Amino acid sequence: MTSPSPSTTTIILITLLLTTLTPTSTSSNSNQCNPTPNPVKNLQHNKITVLINGYSQSRIPILQSLAATYSLSPLVSSVLILWGNPTTPPRVINQLALNLSSSSDSIFLHRNPSSSLNDRFLPRLNDIKTDAVLICDDDVEVDGASFEFVYRVWSANRDRIVGVFARSHDLDLNRKDWVYTVHPDRFSIVLTKFMLLKRDYLFRYSCEGGPRMAKMRKIVDSLRNCEDILMNFVVANSTNVGPILVGAKRVRDYGDSRNDEGKFSSGLSGRKGEHRKSRGWCITEFHRVLGRMPLRYSYGKVVDSIGEQGLCRKGGKLVFCDH
Ligand SMILES: *[C@@H]1O[C@H](CO)[C@@H](O)[C@H](O)[C@H]1NC(C)=O
Ligand SMILES: *[C@@H]1O[C@H](CO)[C@@H](O)[C@H](O)[C@H]1NC(C)=O
């Protein structure tokens, strides 16, 4: 083996330099963490910014009707569509942007700065003007009354994640590993298909937590999965309680945007098994990096059976205010 010639060394150095200069999710989020020039000073406390994750070109019609429906709600301040698919032709994006801007002045299309799944949690300090942020997918429709109910539940529990789809972590005692699963009676993870949380958590996810958080965001990038689980870790790490699950009256779930467009071609059960396994692995890794397991179980669903009532916290429990 001969030692590298000077020109080889130069090439390696140039490659390193280029790698450093290429925009990555890290550089895009560091801009996001240092806002210029007019960060929003007065957050609106009684409105919601809706962040819809857009990915699939075939679902643009659903996406448009979803965005329009949200934008008409009196609870909604604005709707940001976060386009996360870097392979969508600019022609389609431009057409969509035109369509959206002609239909409403409170719907905005943002193409994510990178293909990182972490981008869906960028704090967007110049665009998100509300305390409350609804994170949702382009393939999930929740009826208007349930949407309002989710917001009412969140209003009484502003530090929690409130959502309508839940999963769970559990310990595999034989392998001494964490697994990702569904329990009939308890849950510890709310899915980003539809979750309401405060804006601060986006900042915490993207900008805080030091090297540990950076390492966990990297795990999300390398697996292209688990950003939703990591958000649940971030919130649970600061609240030490589990999320809140709300029973929605009507939900339409058109499918998981990550699993289509030919990215996975194996059979459904094999694909689901793999998906579950890598999510269990994420939980194990996040636990290892964080040095503790912050996820906590919650039990039961909050249901809107009593109509127009507020929810109050009493002795750590969620109750209707007139009780
Ligand atoms: C834009 O709107 C037109 C008319 O409503 C529709 O035919 C077209 O498919 C839309 N295109 C996109 C990209 O949304
Ligand atoms: C988790 O919580 C601890 C204690 O409050 C805090 O010091 C730490 O920064 C948090 N870690 C992350 C990754 O948010």
Side-chain angles (χ1 to χ4, degrees):
M1 183 112 193
T2 55
S3 62
S5 65
S7 64
T8 318
T9 315
T10 315
I11 290 169
I12 292 171
L13 277 177
I14 290 173
T15 313
L16 277 176
L17 194 63
L18 285 177
T19 315
T20 323
L21 292 176
T22 308
T24 61
S25 57
T26 317
S27 69
S28 64
N29 88 12
S30 54
N31 298 338
Q32 288 267 343
C33 298
N34 302 303
T36 51
N38 312 308
V40 180
K41 291 206 183 66
N42 299 312
L43 280 182
Q44 284 179 283
H45 295 295
N46 50 1
K47 296 260 182 176
I48 307 170
T49 303
V50 178
L51 305 183
I52 308 178
N53 220 35
Y55 190 89
S56 171
Q57 210 172 312
S58 64
R59 273 202 295 271
I60 284 181
I62 305 175
L63 175 67
Q64 284 187 293
S65 96
L66 214 57
T69 307
Y70 282 125
S71 74
L72 294 175
S73 164
L75 285 176
V76 170
S77 156
S78 65
V79 178
L80 311 188
I81 294 172
L82 311 179
W83 197 262
N85 186 347
T87 67
T88 309
R91 170 183 54 80
V92 174
I93 296 286
N94 295 340
Q95 182 61 55
L96 176 59
L98 265 175
N99 274 15
L100 291 171
S101 64
S102 67
S103 75
S104 161
D105 54 11
S106 59
I107 306 177
F108 305 92
L109 180 64
H110 289 215
R111 197 161 199 170
N112 283 341
S114 76
S115 62
S116 170
L117 294 177
N118 292 314
D119 282 1
R120 83 181 302 187
F121 296 136
L122 288 175
R124 302 174 199 272
L125 298 170
N126 295 315
D127 301 300
I128 300 179
K129 304 181 173 81
T130 59
D131 232 2
V133 176
L134 174 74
I135 311 258
C136 60
D137 280 348
D138 61 355
D139 51 8
V140 171
E141 242 180 88
V142 168
D143 67 280
S146 300
F147 169 57
E148 284 172 26
F149 184 63
V150 167
Y151 179 69
R152 276 199 288 141
V153 172
W154 178 83
S155 295
N157 298 270
R158 290 174 173 255
D159 292 331
R160 311 275 288 272
I161 296 182
V162 180
V164 298
F165 301 92
R167 298 290 184 270
S168 195
H169 72 300
D170 205 354
L171 197 57
D172 178 336
L173 289 170
N174 292 324
R175 289 173 35 237
K176 301 212 162 47
D177 265 350
W178 295 102
V179 291
Y180 175 76
T181 187
V182 182
H183 285 301
D185 61 333
R186 63 198 155 116
F187 58 92
S188 52
I189 295 164
V190 158
L191 301 184
T192 41
K193 280 168 176 294
F194 193 94
M195 69 154 67
L196 197 68
L197 78 184
K198 65 176 173 184
R199 191 184 83 141
D200 294 5
Y201 288 133
L202 302 180
F203 191 82
R204 203 161 294 180
Y205 182 105
S206 306
C207 309
E208 295 184 334
R212 286 188 174 163
M213 203 52 218
K215 208 162 181 182
M216 292 190 278
R217 286 193 302 264
K218 237 182 202 150
I219 291 170
V220 167
D221 278 333
S222 62
L223 279 182
R224 291 202 58 72
N225 198 343
C226 306
E227 80 286 5
D228 51 350
I229 296 178
L230 183 51
M231 180 53 96
N232 280 271
F233 264 72
V234 166
V235 176
N237 182 58
S238 80
T239 58
N240 285 312
V241 285
I244 296 174
L245 182 63
V246 168
K249 290 205 180 73
R250 270 183 304 111
V251 178
R252 288 175 76 181
D253 183 352
Y254 296 87
D256 185 355
S257 55
R258 270 178 233 171
N259 293 343
D260 65 12
E261 308 222 325
K263 268 203 289 179
F264 303 91
S265 48
S266 55
L268 192 72
S269 61
R271 179 174 89 198
K272 277 199 168 149
E274 276 313 302
H275 181 66
R276 223 183 81 149
K277 226 191 269 169
S278 48
R279 287 166 74 77
W281 189 80
C282 289
I283 295 172
T284 302
E285 284 302 291
F286 294 157
H287 174 202
R288 191 179 58 76
V289 174
L290 196 61
R292 63 185 280 255
M293 172 45 78
L295 297 182
R296 295 285 176 270
Y297 289 115
S298 297
Y299 302 82
K301 248 183 210 182
V302 184
V303 244
D304 186 12
S305 53
I306 315 188
E308 295 300 307
Q309 288 193 34
L311 286 151
C312 296
R313 208 194 305 251
K314 238 183 214 168
K317 284 173 77 179
L318 201 64
V319 296
F320 289 100
C321 296
D322 61 351
H323 283 204

